[in-house]
Amino acid sequence: MGSMSESAWRRLSVGVIGGGIGGMSAAIALRRAGHNVTIYERNDFAGEAGASVSCAANGTRWLHEWGVDVQKGDPVVLKKLINRDWKTGEPVSVYDLDDYEERWGYVYNMFHRQYMHKMLMECALQEEGAGSPATLKVNHSVRLPLEHFQDLD
């Protein structure tokens, strides 16, 4: 609730449009700030695809501060950054990250996108943690102006 005085602060009902990684992250931050959050997602998350998501020390710090169970995301801790030649695949440069946690305070995590999403969703919707759990509405289309919410069920 930042520097705002207690008497000036009020709980808001906030709609987050999109239930991806960004939407779930916003929902976690908003619920921790004391707001009521509803996440509107047009899909049902079936058939998700994606690749690896890098989460350096600053991102990993936020996950821990938000109370996210990072282990649920099955992270791989990065130990080296290797840049490769796009044609040959030969290493062009190698950055050793052995002292990364000591220097930056947190490890450099790599997550499969689906695992990261699930980990964030569980944190946003769970009873445990600061604030009220967010509500998730799937198969929900949003059209502008925002008064035109439409259930697809």
Side-chain angles (χ1 to χ4, degrees):
M1 291 173 267
S3 61
M4 191 178 291
S5 72
E6 194 71 29
S7 62
W9 185 87
R10 67 186 177 121
R11 180 181 318 276
L12 301 174
S13 292
V14 180
V16 174
I17 311 302
I21 289 172
M24 292 299 166
S25 297
I28 293 167
L30 288 163
R31 84 171 265 192
R32 288 180 44 82
H35 301 295
N36 295 322
V37 182
T38 303
I39 306 159
Y40 297 94
E41 171 56 45
R42 66 180 167 184
N43 298 309
D44 61 4
F45 305 115
E48 281 190 89
S52 178
V53 175
S54 297
C55 192
N58 55 348
T60 300
R61 178 179 61 93
W62 277 109
L63 293 174
H64 286 284
E65 287 183 10
W66 285 347
V68 175
D69 185 349
V70 173
Q71 292 310 306
K72 284 186 176 179
D74 195 23
V76 172
V77 177
L78 201 61
K79 297 294 184 184
K80 289 183 189 222
L81 283 173
I82 303 171
N83 293 319
R84 296 183 179 273
D85 181 274
W86 69 276
K87 275 187 179 177
T88 67
E90 293 299 313
V92 175
S93 61
V94 177
Y95 300 97
D96 195 350
L97 302 177
D98 283 341
D99 66 342
Y100 189 85
E101 184 175 12
E102 183 181 321
R103 286 183 69 195
W104 302 105
Y106 293 88
V107 297
Y108 195 129
N109 284 310
M110 300 293 289
F111 295 96
H112 187 284
R113 188 205 161 292
Q114 288 172 289
Y115 297 165
M116 180 180 227
H117 183 257
K118 183 177 182 197
M119 168 185 78
L120 293 170
M121 184 186 313
E122 287 179 8
C123 185
L125 304 178
Q126 71 189 3
E127 290 292 328
E128 300 82 26
S132 300
T135 301
L136 175 62
K137 296 191 177 220
V138 295
N139 297 319
H140 196 95
S141 177
V142 176
R143 294 194 178 100
L144 296 175
L146 294 179
E147 296 85 25
H148 298 283
F149 283 64
Q150 176 187 5
D151 280 314
L152 299 177
D153 295 334

